[in-house]
Amino acid sequence: MGKIVELRDVTKTFSSGEKKLTAVDNVSLSVEEGEIFGIIGFSGAGKSTLVRTINLLENPDKGFVSVNGTKLAWEENGVEKIISSKELKKVRSQVGMIFQHFNLLDRSTVFENVAYPLQFTGKSKKEITGRVFELLDLVGLTEKANVYPSQLSGGQKQRVAIARALANNPAILLSDEATSALDPEATESILELLKELNKKLRLTIILITHEMAVIKSVCQKVAVMENGRIVESGSVYEIFANPEKEISKRFVESQSSLSNLGKLVREKSGLVDVAESGKLLRLQFEGDVAGKAAISEISRLFSVDVNIVLANIDILSEGALGRIIVVLNGNEKSVGDALAYLEEKKIKVTEINPAVFLTGGNE
């Protein structure tokens, strides 16, 4: 596999009167062929603008953009260059795109919506019909060919949009918040479809979202954006296991029950009562370690009391990742021996200071 998308030092600025907004600030990233690559950030982070520079729906002010081996934007002798309109049209045929609000033609049937991009390819009516039904079968909507978008659910509308985006056999699918308008059941269905298409068609998918649960469900790699910059990137497992930036930690914790710890501390719940020699701990189990009975082992071996406060297990593409918040009580030596044992078993141990939550800070 090689790089199918490469961005280097890409910047995009918008002007409004005398004010300038840098939506994308010196961003570099690369996506390997066949990957599902996620870009996550809160509203205004610049992720939609960034993804639109990939097919030059937004021309970058500066920087290098390459798609499927073709340069779209680059610098030459100090001058920023953009690919010709004729060549750009060829590249765009290799890139499909789906959006949050589907962008379907309301007065056209499902068949006509999917057929629309094929009408400009020189294909015969018979070829178009065959391709449309092939795509509708791929997304599970063959029986809806003659109905109108108003008769479809949100998930079905997005399936039509996906079929239309795949009409010209693109190598890349850009998904711009494609599940944000859907209910949880429809979201899961669309994400499963995207995973299936990725495997079946070797389709590279670049998915932007503000939901870490979406990233966890389908992506192999992720880039975290804030204020127009990529602040952290890596495999989804790496980011979940060891987020370095504060915003990454917020995203990871946003879909975890462990985020309730601060509330328990502030409410003085008995669950977080720590004896004088005890400790409030986060235990992280990675990969094969996740299934080991470490809690019962330390309780039995070192005569310590272990109270499980909160627990969360994420099943990611690279394996299971478990986190448990516990209160560990016992005499000083027993607690110390128990901690040493956990670390020997390659369990990541982090001591938590409850006072941090009472001062409004972040653990």
Side-chain angles (χ1 to χ4, degrees):
M1 294 193 301
K3 294 177 183 177
I4 195 167
V5 172
E6 187 173 7
L7 308 180
R8 292 201 301 265
D9 305 322
V10 169
T11 294
K12 177 64 181 179
T13 301
F14 295 99
S15 298
S16 178
E18 295 182 358
K19 294 183 178 179
K20 285 190 176 183
L21 171 66
T22 303
V24 176
D25 189 1
N26 205 41
V27 166
S28 298
L29 67 82
S30 60
V31 179
E32 298 289 325
E33 184 180 357
E35 275 186 342
I36 304 181
F37 190 103
I39 301 173
I40 190 168
F42 291 116
S43 179
K47 55 191 187 297
S48 289
T49 302
L50 177 64
V51 84
R52 287 167 67 87
T53 65
I54 291 173
N55 56 359
L56 295 198
L57 288 177
E58 296 287 355
N59 288 348
D61 299 332
K62 72 178 187 69
F64 176 88
V65 179
S66 173
V67 173
N68 214 9
T70 301
K71 289 193 298 184
L72 276 61
W74 67 97
E75 181 188 314
E76 188 175 300
N77 298 324
V79 178
E80 299 298 327
K81 299 283 188 176
I82 295 291
I83 194 172
S84 70
S85 298
K86 182 179 179 181
E87 291 299 314
L88 178 58
K89 186 176 180 181
K90 291 180 184 178
V91 174
R92 282 180 174 166
S93 70
Q94 302 168 30
V95 183
M97 195 163 189
I98 54 175
F99 305 89
Q100 179 178 349
H101 296 297
F102 324 124
N103 293 355
L104 301 181
L105 304 170
D106 292 335
R107 296 187 180 184
S108 298
T109 64
V110 166
F111 180 97
E112 291 165 341
N113 267 280
V114 178
Y116 181 75
L118 294 167
Q119 295 173 0
F120 309 98
T121 61
K123 293 183 183 294
S124 68
K125 187 174 181 180
K126 182 179 179 181
E127 288 174 318
I128 290 175
T129 298
R131 178 60 176 158
V132 169
F133 277 106
E134 179 185 343
L135 290 163
L136 290 179
D137 180 61
L138 193 63
V139 300
L141 287 180
T142 304
E143 76 284 358
K144 300 292 185 181
N146 296 315
V147 307
Y148 290 87
S150 61
Q151 299 169 274
L152 301 175
S153 67
Q156 289 171 331
K157 289 177 183 177
Q158 196 57 278
R159 285 174 179 266
V160 176
I162 291 170
R164 183 181 60 187
L166 299 178
N168 289 310
N169 288 304
I172 303 165
L173 180 67
L174 306 180
S175 171
D176 189 353
E177 297 280 11
T179 60
S180 294
L182 304 179
D183 61 47
E185 185 176 350
T187 293
E188 184 177 352
S189 173
I190 293 299
L191 294 177
E192 285 299 318
L193 175 61
L194 291 178
K195 284 195 286 188
E196 181 182 334
L197 294 172
N198 168 254
K199 291 179 181 178
K200 187 179 292 186
L201 305 178
R202 292 293 300 158
L203 182 68
T204 302
I205 300 174
I206 300 174
L207 184 153
I208 73 167
T209 182
H210 62 276
E211 300 172 288
M212 203 62 174
V214 170
I215 297 293
K216 180 180 75 172
S217 176
V218 298
C219 297
Q220 289 105 34
K221 292 183 182 176
V222 61
V224 183
M225 285 196 74
E226 184 177 32
N227 298 325
R229 289 180 170 268
I230 290 179
V231 297
E232 192 166 0
S233 64
S235 75
V236 171
Y237 196 94
E238 288 170 351
I239 299 301
F240 264 79
N242 300 295
E244 295 181 0
K245 303 297 183 181
E246 188 58 38
I247 188 171
S248 304
K249 293 176 183 178
R250 288 170 62 191
F251 275 123
V252 169
E253 291 174 358
S254 67
Q255 51 85 62
S256 165
S257 63
L258 273 58
S259 61
N260 292 316
L261 178 60
K263 182 179 179 182
L264 292 175
V265 172
R266 288 188 291 273
E267 292 179 351
K268 299 182 179 179
S269 168
L271 287 173
V272 289
D273 281 345
V274 183
E276 184 176 345
S277 58
K279 294 182 183 295
L280 179 63
L281 305 169
R282 179 196 285 116
L283 309 181
Q284 183 162 299
F285 306 76
E286 299 181 17
D288 294 339
V289 180
K292 296 189 181 297
I295 301 300
S296 60
E297 286 178 359
I298 61 171
S299 180
R300 183 178 66 253
L301 293 172
F302 304 104
S303 298
V304 291
D305 294 325
V306 186
N307 179 30
I308 297 177
V309 180
L310 295 164
N312 190 79
I313 296 179
D314 291 307
I315 306 301
L316 306 171
S317 59
E318 294 179 60
L321 176 65
R323 293 188 188 88
I324 303 177
I325 303 293
V326 302
V327 171
L328 183 64
N329 285 323
N331 64 56
E332 188 173 344
K333 183 178 186 307
S334 295
V335 169
D337 289 344
L339 293 180
Y341 180 83
L342 291 173
E343 292 179 352
E344 181 184 318
K345 293 293 183 180
K346 301 196 183 307
I347 295 168
K348 184 178 179 181
V349 180
T350 305
E351 185 172 358
I352 301 169
N353 180 4
V356 172
F357 297 105
L358 300 176
T359 59
N362 293 310
E363 180 272 316

